[in-house]
Amino acid sequence: EAGVTQFPSHSVIEKGQTVTLRCDPISGHDNLYWYRRVMGKEIKFLLHFVKESKQDESGMPNNRFLAERTGGTYSTLKVQPAELEDSGVYFCASSLRDTNEKLFFGSGTQLSVL
Amino acid sequence: GESVGLHLPTLSVQEGDNSIINCAYSNSASDYFIWYKQESGKGPQFIIDIRSNMDKRQGQRVTVLLNKTVKHLSLQIAATQPGDSAVYFCAERGGYQKVTFGTGTKLQVIP
């Protein structure tokens, strides 16, 4: 069974540019989460999808971040325009609908904004 | 890759010894707790979980203890091995199924 996959694994962009991160959850997982780890510190919640709907987006830092999950399958997280403080590792996780405790994580996207 | 653990609490243990990693959680309404292990270049991996109606749960070489009175969680690893070196995160599930993570502890196993 394929796990959660994220693309790209690394991205280096300049301040002001746009970057789009992609996450493919495990097939059949309705729950999809985005998290971010900055400066090797804690893993911060960004948002949670149930299928294509945003269940909770309270962790999104500001309106430069836009997450979508068209059709309830893969998800994208766009940062536009990127700022220096957006650098970090962005993780995606997914879980089954009614047993959403076990989150399965992807390997993350390392974003560096210069 | 990311700079892992530069600002994290670090626990150094001798190979073969037992490790205890502690975590204080914040939400007294949290009903479910999880420990994750993150190795460099990888995403967090599930280790063990515990529900709030329990105070202890054992897995293979790992034990999680929950003290709701003081909102404290611990992970015990028996006979620590070099492969256990990683950053360990505790996580709690609060309202609306939201899972939030603690800061993390870096475990270094000395051969």
Side-chain angles (χ1 to χ4, degrees):
Chain A
E1 176 185 302
V4 177
T5 56
Q6 292 186 244
F7 182 83
S9 57
H10 292 80
S11 180
V12 181
I13 61 172
E14 292 186 351
K15 177 183 172 181
Q17 290 186 320
T18 297
V19 63
T20 300
L21 314 181
R22 172 169 170 147
C23 169
D24 286 76
I26 294 173
S27 178
H29 282 194
D30 286 343
N31 290 294
L32 187 149
Y33 302 79
W34 283 99
Y35 288 86
R36 177 172 72 168
R37 191 170 182 215
V38 177
M39 293 295 291
K41 293 184 177 175
E42 64 185 291
I43 299 174
K44 288 232 180 231
F45 170 86
L46 295 177
L47 88 159
H48 169 208
F49 284 100
V50 177
K51 295 188 178 178
E52 67 275 9
S53 300
K54 291 176 184 173
Q55 177 76 14
D56 182 348
E57 53 183 330
S58 61
M60 294 289 264
N62 50 60
N63 59 9
R64 295 185 294 104
F65 288 73
L66 175 64
E68 294 180 318
R69 192 182 182 194
T70 307
T73 53
Y74 71 91
S75 175
T76 58
L77 179 65
K78 181 191 286 189
V79 185
Q80 178 182 31
E83 298 290 342
L84 300 178
E85 64 264 25
D86 300 333
S87 297
V89 182
Y90 290 77
F91 290 107
C92 174
S94 72
S95 67
L96 287 170
R97 171 75 193 240
D98 293 318
T99 56
N100 66 353
E101 293 93 345
K102 288 187 182 178
L103 271 59
F104 294 86
F105 280 81
S107 297
T109 294
Q110 170 81 62
L111 175 63
S112 298
V113 183
L114 307 178
Chain B
E2 64 172 315
S3 67
V4 176
L6 288 183
H7 305 286
L8 292 173
T10 300
L11 175 66
S12 296
V13 297
Q14 205 73 37
E15 181 179 355
D17 288 351
N18 297 334
S19 303
I20 300 176
I21 300 172
N22 297 303
C23 173
Y25 64 92
S26 57
N27 187 353
S28 57
S30 292
D31 64 350
Y32 176 71
F33 304 87
I34 319 106
W35 279 100
Y36 284 89
K37 171 185 180 183
Q38 188 190 3
E39 297 173 281
S40 183
K42 297 182 180 180
Q45 295 175 286
F46 172 90
I47 303 172
I48 191 168
D49 56 0
I50 187 168
R51 297 188 185 279
S52 59
N53 60 354
M54 303 170 68
D55 53 23
K56 180 179 180 179
R57 188 161 189 226
Q58 287 185 293
Q60 192 174 29
R61 279 203 310 119
V62 293
T63 301
V64 55
L65 299 176
L66 174 63
N67 185 331
K68 295 181 289 293
T69 303
V70 294
K71 292 190 285 187
H72 183 267
L73 199 66
S74 69
L75 176 71
Q76 300 178 359
I77 304 174
T80 312
Q81 302 168 0
D84 295 327
S85 294
V87 177
Y88 289 80
F89 292 93
C90 66
E92 59 183 299
R93 185 181 70 182
Y96 301 102
Q97 309 297 307
K98 181 175 167 180
V99 176
T100 54
F101 285 76
T103 304
T105 297
K106 183 178 180 181
L107 177 65
Q108 286 182 325
V109 181
I110 304 165

